[in-house]
Amino acid sequence: MSDIKMRVTGIEKSFPGVKALSGIDFAVRKGTVHALCGENGAGKSTLMKIIMGLYQADKGQIFLDEKPVTIRNPIQAREHGISMIAQELNYVPELSVEENLFLGRLPVNKFGKVQWKKVREDAIAFLKEENLPYRPDQKLKTLTVSDIQMLEIIKAVTNNAEIVIMDEPTSSISDKEVRQLFAKIAELKARGVAIIYISHKMDEVFQIADDITVLRDGAVVSSDRAADLDLDTVISRMVGRKISNVYPKEAVPIGETALEVNGFAQDNLFEDINFYAKKGEIVGFAGLVGAGRTEVMRAVFGLDPHRQGQVKINGKEIHAKSAADSIANGMILLSESRREDGIIPVRSVAENATLAALKNYIYGGYTHKAKERADVTEMFEKMQVSTPSYETEISKLSGGNQQKVLLARWMLCSPDVMILDEPTRGIDVGAKFEIYKLMTDIVKEGKSIVMVSSELPELLGMCDRIYIMCQGRITGCIGPDSFSQETIMRYATGLMDHNLEGESL
């Protein structure tokens, strides 16, 4: 009897101007984790959407337990025992935890009336089983991104699914929650569930994968047992070239202080925040989920209020009450939430790129399209943005290419200080490398970068100094001589406090 739970053969899919998938053959064994690796735009999400019935393949066939099936929508996918945790979380903010958990599958009696008592009882049981401290009647808009991601994971695995697709499931959750997820994956494997796991975090892939398939440019490059592969081999197959230095950091002359933040505080969020970044520096911010890093950066940028504190750019105090104020003073913020605070989904890639710099192209009562298009072309070539055309809606691009467009948007503003909050989240190793190179080029121009990241290797690989936060306070600042993941985690968990050896104005 075959141990193959699902198999796809000869899958092809084209969109206007681009062939997304070409002759895909792919199989998942029962009770295993099959990692699907590839750069953004390689076709991973497109293939998963075909399996879920969100897209229809132009050619090819899906087999479940070696029987051909047709899946035309997500409801049919669920009936076939397939669940998916999407990279871009799908939830209804105004609905409660219990309503979101059972969305699309609310139990009803013979008269069609929802059995709310059963919904409440099952929701409480699920939350208790997963040790999650949420009330079933709590609205999702009151929860953090990491909270919602854990609920989406629960929602998928409580569907009694036989195949669970996980698309970047750890992108917004803490190390503790990652361990909980991996424990849940082990339980699912023991029950014979097949798991398709998509992640750009290669350490995770090698930690849990039984099989690894690599996609590149919409085609399968290889499919092997994970035990027969190593990291360098998988990366070189993904990008089609060997990346010998993942972090292209260069020694750059350090200049005067570009950004200075003093005594920053906001009730119940952060307290006594003091830091600076000099011209030519990449300054990192580390900390666990909930440490307050994003809240600090949003307040510094003027998106959120603060109770007290001072912000200086190039020695001049600014009083930013909006994003426009900060941009006018030479500071930008790349938000951690691409979907909510970044892209305008229904607008083209070109419109998204020039949105913050329109004043450069509108004068004399006209929009100077030629100059706008020339600047966009130059920036997209520098960022290596892959798009069918400049008129393509940005929502049609892969997550990595959307992130590149957002970086291009801010580069067109010619800022002196760039705050990048999780700039490589959900981006493949090849695209990360290009962004790291761009960051190096930016600071070589005498600009300053503040990078918030939950990926410690990239902080250690790219930063000149690293501040560490814990529970709304800066507990340490370390220089290269003290760089190590262990040291950062000690400060991030409060085991060490108030070491500012990297501080020197």
Side-chain angles (χ1 to χ4, degrees), residues 9-56:
T9 60
I11 295 292
E12 296 192 4
K13 181 65 177 176
S14 295
F15 298 101
V18 62
K19 185 152 191 175
L21 297 175
S22 179
I24 298 292
D25 296 326
F26 176 73
V28 185
R29 297 182 291 140
K30 299 172 184 175
T32 65
V33 175
H34 197 128
L36 193 58
C37 299
E39 293 189 277
N40 289 108
K44 306 184 299 298
S45 293
T46 301
L47 177 59
M48 295 304 104
K49 287 176 179 177
I50 287 172
I51 292 171
M52 283 299 298
L54 292 165
Y55 291 160
Q56 300 302 306

Side-chain angles (χ1 to χ4, degrees), residues 314-326:
N314 294 325
K316 175 188 173 185
E317 184 174 359
I318 68 166
H319 301 279
K321 299 189 183 304
S322 67
D325 291 342
S326 291

Side-chain angles (χ1 to χ4, degrees), residues 395-443:
S395 59
K396 300 293 193 298
L397 302 189
S398 67
N401 280 303
Q402 290 178 11
Q403 191 78 329
K404 289 180 182 179
V405 172
L406 293 181
L407 278 167
R409 172 193 294 173
W410 293 125
M411 288 298 295
L412 288 170
C413 293
S414 301
D416 295 317
V417 177
M418 299 185 72
I419 302 175
L420 309 181
D421 195 352
E422 303 287 3
T424 65
R425 174 176 288 167
I427 292 180
D428 61 77
V429 289
K432 283 183 178 182
F433 182 75
E434 298 301 330
I435 287 175
Y436 296 148
K437 284 203 303 184
L438 180 68
M439 289 169 61
T440 298
D441 291 341
I442 289 169
V443 293

